[in-house]
């Protein structure tokens, strides 16, 4: 995914699952640019050649081939032709991420935050959109697994890498 787009853990999990399925197909893995476009489509954007050129900095033929490739894989649906072609996420494709994958992705996000210093419940909630209780459960599991160390108490609680 492009660094310019901040993807939520759920979005990252969805893209990871789509990428894994693509890698297992005969067409092979998705490119970073393709993953970026799928994330845009997941967010409800209608993709056009012009929008793709801006998003992934490619020329007209490359944008067209990229969109058609995602269409041919069954990931995007096309409406219109030539200059009027527009692409949206294939109906029923989102969300695909199962709870396990999404949860593993959430754990990775928390550990990445902890790499930068102490991570708090609030920081995790802001990034993940989890509830306070869901975040506590996630952090407690990472502490129990020895991946994080709990420091401080109550409102002063933060977590560092274990």
């Amino acid at each position: 995914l492009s660094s310019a787009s901040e993807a939520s853990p759920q979005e990252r999990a969805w893209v990871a699952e789509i990428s894994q399925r693509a890698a297992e197909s005969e067409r092979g893995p998705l490119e970073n640019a393709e993953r970026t476009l799928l994330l845009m489509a997941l967010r409800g954007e209608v993709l056009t050649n012009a929008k793709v050129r801006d998003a992934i900095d490619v020329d007209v033929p490359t944008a067209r081939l990229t969109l058609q490739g995602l269409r041919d894989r069954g990931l995007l649906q096309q409406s219109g032709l030539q200059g009027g072609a527009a692409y949206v996420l294939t109906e029923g494709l989102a969300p695909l991420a199962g709870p396990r994958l999404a949860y593993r992705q959430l754990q990775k996000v928390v550990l990445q935050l902890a790499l930068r210093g102490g991570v708090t419940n609030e920081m995790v909630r802001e990034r993940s959109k989890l509830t306070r209780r869901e975040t506590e459960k996630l952090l407690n599991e990472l502490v129990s697994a020895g991946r994080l160390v709990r420091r401080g108490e109550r409102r002063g609680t933060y977590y560092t890498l274990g």
Side-chain angles (χ1 to χ4, degrees):
L1 297 175
S2 72
S3 58
S5 67
E6 281 295 317
S8 73
Q10 292 85 356
E11 290 171 332
R12 287 188 183 281
W14 180 84
V15 171
E17 184 166 330
I18 294 292
S19 298
Q20 180 179 350
R21 288 180 183 199
E24 294 168 356
S25 76
E26 56 191 54
R27 291 182 180 256
L30 295 173
E31 300 290 327
N32 282 338
E34 292 171 313
R35 291 193 292 269
T36 298
L37 296 178
L38 286 174
L39 177 59
M40 291 170 64
L42 176 66
R43 291 175 174 171
E45 291 192 44
V46 176
L47 302 177
T48 62
N49 191 292
K51 205 173 255 191
V52 168
R53 290 193 319 263
D54 287 343
I56 61 174
D57 194 29
V58 294
D59 59 15
V60 171
T62 303
R64 181 178 56 250
L65 289 173
T66 304
L67 285 166
Q68 289 172 348
L70 290 169
R71 178 201 62 202
D72 294 348
R73 286 177 177 231
L75 301 172
L76 295 179
Q77 290 178 326
Q78 178 180 347
S79 62
L81 298 171
Q82 297 177 345
Y87 300 79
V88 296
L89 195 63
T90 297
E91 195 172 318
L93 192 57
L96 284 182
R100 264 193 174 150
L101 181 59
Y103 202 71
R104 274 187 280 154
Q105 289 297 111
L106 287 171
Q107 289 176 332
K108 286 181 183 178
V109 168
V110 172
L111 294 172
Q112 287 173 348
L113 287 170
L115 273 173
R116 300 178 189 150
V119 63
T120 64
N121 183 301
E122 181 181 8
M123 291 167 65
V124 174
R125 287 194 327 269
E126 286 173 3
R127 281 298 293 263
S128 67
K129 308 301 183 217
L130 293 174
T131 66
R132 181 179 298 277
R133 289 190 193 273
E134 291 168 330
T135 303
E136 286 173 5
K137 180 181 180 217
L138 174 64
L139 290 168
N140 288 335
E141 288 175 3
L142 288 169
V143 168
S144 295
R147 309 284 307 272
L148 291 178
V149 175
R150 182 181 294 112
R151 304 190 187 281
E153 294 181 20
R154 299 178 192 207
R155 287 190 153 288
T157 302
Y158 65 100
Y159 302 82
T160 60
L161 288 178

